[in-house]
Every structure is written in structure tokens, then in C-alpha cells.
Amino acid sequence: MNLSQSESMVSIVIPVYNAEKNISGCLDSVLLQTYNNIEIILIDDGSTDKSAEICADYQKKYSKIRYIYQKNSGPASARNKGIDESKGKYVAFIDSDDTISPDMISTMVDAAESNSAEMVICSYNLIENNKESVCNYKLPEGLYSGEKSRQVLYSLMDEEQQSVPPYSWVRLTLRSVFETNNLRFKDGLIRSEDYHFWTKVHTRIKSVYLLSKTPLYNYICNDESITHSYVKNYWDGVLFIYNDLKKHIPDTDVCRQKLDVMLIKRVLISLNNSAMCTSKKQARKEIWKILNNHQLNSVVKKLKDSNVRKFKSFRRTMQYHGKLIVALKYMYENIVFCRNMKK
């Protein structure tokens, strides 16, 4: 380990919510880091299981661990609290049900220090149904600085397979980036808060080092995740993200088009979300609210099939006055969902 590494503390923020099954494995992997100058900040977001007891025990055993309890406020609030409590030069985020490689922090700090990078992004392993697959990125490994750093922003906004993901847990970031630009996660966003936050962050930084083919994080897919359940007011969150990012992204045709495509993708997620509402009346109300949105319809008219290849059937149906067809599709899915819930 070189001298610059030993001088740079890393704050590792781990939001915790009802994580009694996995938090020990997560913490054990962090404590096995070959990089010594770390602080581990556990933000308990109002857990109702034994998470608090487990975290308190770890805090007693290890001086590197700080345990903080807060009233349940959501993952964005927990991460913000972690940033506020951080003392390190760098900040990293880890989800409480995942694990990391022993050399993750050391490798990422070395890349940051050696290249004067404001952020380092590693690739990751996806573990699902006891099967592991490596998730690498299309962009080559190396430093992206100045105007070249915009390539990383474009890749993030694409959200395609092998694009740079918006996940918090693949990143090591200078804490000064958050403080200087007053950047925090948006409280209240249940989904896509990472996409919203990190897109804004990438508009403010000029040097990113990609470890595109160096998987250092183990993402364990959890079927109990919030992304598999109905979320109230999800569409309102999508519109907030779309309109807020319009104010912050570079004023270029490429960025505006990528943001419009993001809206189309989130429309389909929103419709699927509404189809999982247990109230048929509320589901119908939400579906029509989404399909009649003037911003959505403006984007549908503006985009071409070449911009949304995977979603061109939806775009064409919407463009040629097929809202009723789309609405009926998702209303039918809602009926099927409600029937299955009663079984």
C-alpha cells in the first residue's frame, strides 16, 4: 500500500433496514478489506427486526464501526445521513444484503489517487438464484477526464445492457464533490433515486476512472426488493426526475434525447407498477393519468423509432391514437394480478 492510500480515509456508508438475515455477511466482507483506513457508518432506517441488535454488537467489537439509528425515512434519507456523518476523503456506499471483494476499497482508492480522479466506478458480480454472472461495461477501462468524461454520463443515461449503471454501490467518490456542489439524494423518491442523483453528480465532475472489467462488488438479487412491489405515486416521481434533470443536464441534443428515452422507459415501468395496485379503481385512474400526460405525449411525437427501438411498438400505438389499446392492456393485467392475489 502506498503512502497516499494510507493518508486517505474512506467512509463506507451502509443503509440498514430489516437486514437481520444479511447484515452480518455484509459487514464481515467490509471488515476483511485489505485497505485499513476506513470508517463504516451504519444508518439504521427504523428497522423493526434484530438489525439494531446485530449492528450494536458489531459497533462494540470494532472501533471502525459507527451505528446511527433514525426514524424510517427511506433509502435516500439514510444515504444522505451517511454523507453528513462522513469524515473520509472518499465516500462509498454498500447495500446491507450485498458483499464486497477484500481488495475493493484498496483497488478503487489506488485508481483514484494515481489518476487524480474525482470518482472511480467498478464492475460487479450479479448473484441470482445461486448463479453468478459478471457485469462488465462497454466503455474501456481508464481515465475519462475533461470533455471525455461526458462519455460516462451518456453511458449512464442510456441504461442499456453493459452501460455504466447508476448504482451507488459501484462508486467511490470524493466527499468534496457532494459538499462543494451541495448534492444529496432526493428524499421521498422510492425508485430511480440513484439514476436521478448520479446523473446530476456526473454533470458536475470532470474526471472519472472506470474499472470496466474489474468486478469488485457482489450484488445479491433479492426477490423481496421494493422493485417487485407496487409503489404509490411512482409516476409523480418519474415526472419529478424528468423535469429536474432537464435543468441540470448539458443543453445538447444528445442529452435531451437520452432524457426523453428515459421517460419512455419509465412510462412502461409506471404502467406495470399501476397494474400491481390492489385497487382496480385506483389502477385505472393511474393508468389514464399516465397516458394523458402532456409531456409524455409531446415526447412520443418528437422521438423517432430509431431512438426507441425496443419501445417502438408502444410509441407507435401512442402516436396513432392507441391510448385505449394501451390502457386496456394494463387494466387487464391489473385484473389478473388482483385475481392472483386472492388465491
Side-chain angles (χ1 to χ4, degrees), residues 324-340:
L324 179 60
I325 296 172
V326 177
L328 289 173
K329 175 184 182 298
Y330 287 97
M331 287 177 187
Y332 173 75
E333 288 186 8
N334 175 249
I335 292 171
V336 173
F337 175 81
C338 291
R339 284 177 181 170
N340 290 335

Side-chain angles (χ1 to χ4, degrees), residues 11 78 115 166 210 235-236 238 304 324:
S11 299
N115 296 279
L210 288 186
W235 173 241
D236 293 336
V238 170
K304 300 177 181 178
L324 179 60

Side-chain angles (χ1 to χ4, degrees), residues 122-228:
C122 68
S123 59
Y124 62 98
N125 298 306
L126 172 63
I127 302 171
E128 187 173 16
N129 297 324
N130 296 318
K131 294 181 180 179
E132 182 175 313
S133 56
V134 178
C135 298
N136 291 327
Y137 315 137
K138 285 182 180 179
L139 289 177
E141 290 207 2
L143 180 65
Y144 292 76
S145 61
E147 285 300 310
K148 192 178 177 183
S149 65
R150 194 167 286 186
Q151 292 181 38
V152 182
L153 171 64
Y154 290 163
S155 180
L156 185 157
M157 294 184 72
D158 278 341
E159 297 186 289
E160 299 291 345
Q161 189 175 12
Q162 291 191 308
S163 292
V164 174
Y167 307 139
S168 296
W169 34 262
V170 294
R171 288 170 165 78
L172 178 86
T173 310
L174 279 172
R175 182 163 61 91
S176 59
V177 168
F178 305 137
E179 304 302 344
T180 302
N181 297 289
N182 193 29
L183 290 166
R184 293 295 187 271
F185 290 86
K186 174 65 177 176
D187 283 337
L189 284 180
I190 305 299
R191 294 184 190 163
S192 301
E193 71 274 10
D194 276 0
Y195 179 88
H196 174 249
F197 178 73
W198 291 110
T199 299
K200 289 175 72 172
V201 172
H202 277 274
T203 66
R204 308 293 178 88
I205 59 177
K206 292 296 183 182
S207 56
V208 183
Y209 195 92
L210 288 186
L211 295 167
S212 302
K213 293 176 174 57
T214 309
L216 300 170
Y217 190 96
N218 301 312
Y219 170 50
I220 302 171
C221 190
N222 179 9
D223 287 336
E224 296 177 0
S225 167
I226 192 170
T227 56
H228 293 88

